[in-house]
Amino acid sequence: MRSARTHLVSLAVKLLDIPEAIIEVAIDEELSEGVVVADTLDDVPSVFLAPLYNAERSIVSQICRLRTGAPSWGSIDAARAIPWVEQKLTIELAESQKQAIHLALSSKLLVITGGPGVGKTTLVNSILTILRAKRVKALLCAPTGRAAKRLSESTGLEAKTIHRLLEVNPANGQFKRNEDSPLECDLLVLDECSMVDVPLANQLLKAVASETAVIFVGDVDQLPSVGPGQVLDDLIESGAMPVVRLTEVFRQAATSRIVRSAHQINQGLFPSLPGKGEESDFYFVPAEEPEAIAETVVDLVKTRLPRKFQLDPVRDIQVLCPMNRSLTGARGINQLLQEALNPPGDHSIEKFGYRFSVADKVMQIENNYDKDVYNGDIGFVTHIDAEEQELTATFDEHIVTYAFGELDELVLCYATTIHKSQGSEYPVVVIPVSTQHYMMLKRNLIYTGITRGKRLVVLVGQKRALAMAVKGRQTERRCSKLGEWLRGVPE
């Protein structure tokens, strides 16, 4: 197997157009200064960024610390608790969910994973209902504001972003909650774990007290985190803690073609499409050329879907693209949709490559702790003041004012990338699929996009592009030591 260092050198030569000897000297200097660390990955010589390498080592030590001992709530009779919670919530739990409750009531650490329609939400609600009846203090969190809001809506309990839970200091980005000032709870539930990268997972776990139990919830088949690492995947594959894999699609969810199609794609099968005239919540609209795909997307969003399903084209429909670039990418389709739905006028302003107008749908693309608005938050422009050089946007009733010079934090969001949509759900999702996106056409990308839609999902484009994604080689595993170290932890 080729040395990871050799691979790094060849990529650096290609990217920087600098002789190989200079790259080798630079790596040696960074090794001696501790900027990078030399180690092996599956016995192959490799080079790691020191902060990430150290964060992964820290995660391992936190997992070892947290998995020792028993939950602080002591012994709970699951055989009595399960029928009680079924009656309390008027539900009937599947056998796999009952086994998961047994594990959750007796484990310090637990992973719950599974795709759409398999009952993750019902299971988490059941566990929380049982434990809260025993006066167990639980804290709930998720990586993004939208994911935290969804978790709060599904449980009826307050859920915070990880940054808010850790009480981030806007001035320096440091967290007030840490190993010296841990979170005060008996149980921590972390949702949408597939989105959590190595640095954030490390900060969160360091702030968990040794007596606290942790439940990690997420869909391991979704895209990995935008940031470095593959934390959920490594936790599951390592065997360092119990894992519940929910696979049974419940009867109500099984009637949804969105759910069935997502599971088919995840298994490498081309999704079964509705027949002509058949009512469905999942459709494929064929279009060949990029121009035709883009025009069809605009027509669907502006006219056809709102007319047929009584939808607000801006608030109810979200276009999700495999990538940013190209005519059928998020940037190109954003411009077409803005022109169709809210054309710029005399009072619009142009900043950082976008024209913003009142009523435009926008997305915050970086965390701004001072303004209390975070990467991935979606809002609407409500006011533009040319004299004061300010734009005001509203994010779920939270009003944020930007100086014109700060508008590089905003982009139009009639369309966005599938990566940016992680942790969110939308009533209706439209996804262009084109061979233009061949570099990004991976099974987990399309799967993630489809599972963002609640009521309706429409794919537009070439069936061969969808087939490429379904059959295509998955994203290469990331170079992470976390799984290897966790596998080496003694029972």
Side-chain angles (χ1 to χ4, degrees):
M1 188 174 176
R2 189 182 184 193
S3 159
R5 172 163 173 160
T6 305
H7 187 48
L8 172 65
V9 170
S10 65
L11 284 174
V13 168
K14 186 177 176 183
L15 180 68
L16 302 173
D17 195 22
I18 291 174
E20 187 176 308
I22 295 175
I23 300 291
E24 291 280 9
V25 169
I27 291 173
D28 288 337
E29 283 184 9
E30 297 215 310
L31 282 167
S32 66
E33 291 171 10
V35 177
V36 296
V37 177
D39 201 338
T40 59
L41 182 63
D42 298 326
D43 298 323
V44 176
S46 304
V47 180
F48 299 87
L49 286 171
L52 295 178
Y53 184 86
N54 293 330
E56 289 191 336
R57 292 197 75 141
S58 174
I59 289 171
V60 175
S61 66
Q62 307 311 324
I63 295 293
C64 292
R65 172 178 64 86
L66 291 169
R67 72 177 189 169
T68 57
S72 61
W73 52 79
S75 177
I76 296 176
D77 186 349
R80 291 179 61 191
I82 289 169
W84 173 82
V85 81
E86 286 181 313
Q87 185 178 14
K88 172 98 174 163
L89 300 178
T90 59
I91 56 172
E92 187 177 338
L93 293 164
E95 201 53 47
S96 57
Q97 291 175 312
K98 292 176 183 178
Q99 291 170 7
I101 289 174
H102 275 274
L103 275 173
L105 297 182
S106 59
S107 304
K108 281 289 299 300
L109 298 177
L110 177 67
V111 174
I112 297 171
T113 188
V118 297
K120 293 195 299 293
T121 299
T122 301
L123 174 57
V124 170
N125 274 338
S126 300
I127 294 165
L128 288 170
T129 302
I130 292 168
L131 291 176
R132 290 182 75 231
K134 297 289 185 181
R135 301 284 188 269
V136 171
K137 183 181 179 185
L139 291 177
L140 282 61
C141 66
T144 66
R146 292 181 76 86
K149 188 179 179 187
R150 278 179 56 206
L151 180 59
S152 191
E153 288 168 352
S154 67
T155 60
L157 303 172
E158 183 185 20
K160 297 180 178 180
T161 63
I162 298 172
H163 286 83
R164 277 206 184 134
L165 186 73
L166 297 180
E167 298 176 32
V168 68
N169 183 340
N172 56 18
Q174 298 296 306
F175 297 112
K176 295 176 186 174
R177 293 290 180 176
N178 51 37
E179 53 267 65
D180 299 320
S181 178
L183 297 165
E184 294 162 15
C185 61
D186 304 301
L187 171 68
L188 177 68
V189 176
L190 171 59
D191 198 14
E192 293 287 357
C193 279
S194 61
M195 298 177 66
V196 180
D197 61 24
V198 163
L200 191 56
N202 180 40
Q203 294 294 339
L204 179 62
L205 291 174
K206 283 198 296 187
V208 179
S210 295
E211 60 273 14
T212 298
V214 183
I215 298 177
F216 304 89
V217 185
D219 183 350
V220 74
D221 294 316
Q222 283 191 31
L223 290 166
S225 54
V226 175
Q230 51 201 11
V231 175
L232 179 60
D233 199 26
D234 286 337
L235 291 179
I236 291 170
E237 294 302 322
S238 69
M241 64 189 69
V243 175
V244 173
R245 290 180 183 266
L246 298 175
T247 56
E248 179 187 343
V249 178
F250 286 91
R251 201 166 38 239
Q252 188 178 354
T255 62
S256 163
R257 204 180 278 270
I258 294 173
V259 172
R260 295 211 311 270
S261 299
H263 285 280
Q264 286 170 328
I265 287 169
N266 201 27
Q267 293 158 18
L269 304 172
F270 195 90
S272 57
L273 302 173
K276 192 168 183 180
E278 182 187 340
E279 288 297 315
S280 176
D281 60 0
F282 179 85
Y283 294 95
F284 190 100
V285 179
E288 282 299 315
E289 297 304 318
E291 293 80 4
I293 294 171
E295 285 170 14
T296 304
V297 167
V298 172
D299 185 37
L300 282 164
V301 173
K302 183 182 180 183
T303 308
R304 288 162 63 181
L305 295 179
R307 185 186 295 155
K308 182 172 181 180
F309 298 100
Q310 288 75 57
L311 300 168
D312 180 318
V314 178
R315 292 183 180 272
D316 293 334
I317 304 173
Q318 184 62 56
V319 177
L320 301 179
C321 303
M323 62 194 295
N324 246 318
R325 295 190 306 276
S326 85
L327 181 62
T328 53
R331 199 168 182 99
I333 288 182
N334 254 323
Q335 290 177 335
L336 294 173
L337 284 172
Q338 184 189 43
E339 198 63 47
L341 299 171
N342 190 37
D346 293 340
H347 299 292
S348 304
I349 56 143
E350 186 162 349
K351 288 288 175 185
F352 305 103
Y354 288 98
R355 292 187 75 186
F356 295 105
S357 311
V358 170
D360 269 337
K361 186 179 187 179
V362 291
M363 178 184 278
Q364 175 79 13
I365 57 168
E366 60 183 69
N367 292 333
N368 188 318
Y369 307 112
D370 284 326
K371 296 185 189 297
D372 195 24
V373 62
Y374 300 93
N375 190 0
D377 286 354
I378 292 176
F380 294 88
V381 177
T382 51
H383 185 66
I384 295 173
D385 190 326
E387 280 190 27
E388 294 293 328
Q389 299 270 295
E390 288 180 343
L391 177 148
T392 303
T394 303
F395 298 84
D396 288 331
E397 299 176 7
H398 174 52
I399 298 169
V400 181
T401 299
Y402 299 84
F404 282 177
E406 298 174 318
L407 290 177
D408 55 341
E409 295 184 19
L410 285 184
V411 295
L412 291 176
C413 191
Y414 299 99
T416 189
T417 62
I418 294 171
H419 282 87
K420 281 284 187 188
S421 75
Q422 280 183 273
S424 299
E425 272 189 348
Y426 312 95
V428 178
V429 163
V430 177
I431 304 174
V433 284
S434 165
T435 51
Q436 273 197 316
H437 306 145
Y438 74 95
M439 288 291 291
M440 300 297 290
L441 287 176
K442 307 291 185 189
R443 190 182 306 164
N444 57 358
L445 185 88
I446 298 298
Y447 170 82
T448 301
I450 287 172
T451 55
R452 301 308 89 206
K454 287 195 287 189
R455 285 174 50 194
L456 179 67
V457 174
V458 183
L459 272 56
V460 181
Q462 304 152 328
K463 286 188 178 177
R464 69 180 181 277
L466 179 57
M468 280 171 61
V470 172
K471 298 291 183 189
R473 185 170 56 88
Q474 292 304 285
T475 308
E476 290 179 9
R477 277 188 68 82
R478 295 177 172 186
C479 295
S480 161
K481 286 285 285 185
L482 181 60
E484 189 177 312
W485 280 329
L486 285 172
R487 283 191 294 275
V489 170
E491 290 294 325

